[in-house]
Amino acid sequence: METKLKIAIQKSGRLNEDSIRILKEAGIEFNNGLNKLKAEAYNFPLEVFFLRDDDIPQYVEDGIADIGIVGENVLLEKNKEVKIVDRLGFGKCRLSIAIPKNQKYKGIQDLEGKKIATSYSTILAKYLKKNKVNAEIHEISGSVEIAPSIGLADAICDLVSSGSTLFTNGLKEAEVILKSEAVIASNKKLNKKQQEILDKLLFRINAVKKSKNNKYILLNAPNENLDAICKILPGMKSPTILPLADKGWSSVHSVVNENEFWDIIEKLKEKGAQGILVVPIEKMIL
Ligand code: PRT
Ligand code: ZN
């Protein structure tokens, strides 16, 4: 029988859509209809399980799933024997300690003797221990942010992204414990065939990730400035240069990184570049 790699992704919630999207962008087709627990890819040896995110680390450790897409925060909290094989750049958030906004805060020692409500007691306990702070951890499973206002705790430790939940509950961030994003976690004992499939999958995902950070750029350059223009363009290797019908001009093609993009455009214009076109790249293989 053909070996298939089993991947666990979140059934519904914040990571569900992006997890499906990244697999689809990697060219993997499957039916992700509502209420499905399992789907087989049509064109890649992959079986997709849809699960609660909290269960994914255990499933991957046990090998029920070979790999899983899950927030690093969940992975660290569950503390299972799995290996992070890729970081996916979505589901970004931080795990922070927050306190009532009117309270003065000078540093972590201010948490000494305080009661902190959280659903991340493992990570919090480690953090407090590392910083030699004795505080009482009160484990709750949801609505952590209301704990101080109802007198359940002095502080909370919870996930934050925009900060608006803290704000509306009269809290402010005091310590950032962890910066998290969605990762791919793998079982530690994949067989050779499973490892080969995983490598293929990671190769595809990386091609998609790289393409997102880069743009294809085409421009017309006066020949006398070609050298200067090529120096501005980093490219994958070196830019492609084609003569234009218009004498004294060339068309230059290259790839630029999103972060350096505006900087580069300005420099190109200074050197006389015209007709600059910037187009998205779908996949990028180096
Ligand atoms: O049903 P299941 O158990 O699978 O899902 P869940 O309800 O446990 O998790 P879900 O879908 O809420 O989150 C899944 C993962 O998304 C988390 O484990 C994180 O890795 C990631 N993530 C990213 C977040 C946030 N951002 C986030 N902002 N998870 C939760 N939040 C919550 C946070 O707990 C707080 O209540 O959003 C609120 C804060 O948001 P801001 O924008 O107001 O700061
Ligand atoms: Zn959950």
Side-chain angles (χ1 to χ4, degrees), residues 10-15 51-54 70-74 91-93 120 145 158-166 180-181:
Q10 195 189 22
K11 182 170 167 47
S12 64
R14 286 167 199 265
L15 303 183
L51 298 170
R52 292 264 332 257
D53 66 345
D54 313 72
V70 66
E72 197 181 5
N73 51 301
V74 174
K92 284 191 176 166
C93 57
Y120 288 88
E145 62 279 358
D158 199 10
L159 299 177
V160 182
S161 48
S162 69
S164 69
T165 303
L166 292 185
S180 178
E181 67 186 281

Side-chain angles (χ1 to χ4, degrees), residues 104-121:
K104 284 211 183 86
Y105 189 78
K106 289 200 290 298
I108 187 139
Q109 63 283 356
D110 289 1
L111 297 170
E112 183 74 29
K114 294 281 163 68
K115 196 168 173 184
I116 309 174
T118 189
S119 12
Y120 288 88
S121 54

Side-chain angles (χ1 to χ4, degrees), residues 171-197:
L171 300 168
K172 67 178 177 190
E173 221 168 338
E175 299 283 339
V176 176
I177 298 188
L178 168 76
K179 287 199 172 135
S180 178
E181 67 186 281
V183 297
I184 301 187
S186 162
N187 178 274
K188 286 197 164 168
K189 296 187 211 91
L190 296 187
N191 66 35
K192 189 162 168 278
K193 197 79 197 135
Q194 291 165 328
Q195 188 62 47
E196 276 171 22
I197 303 171

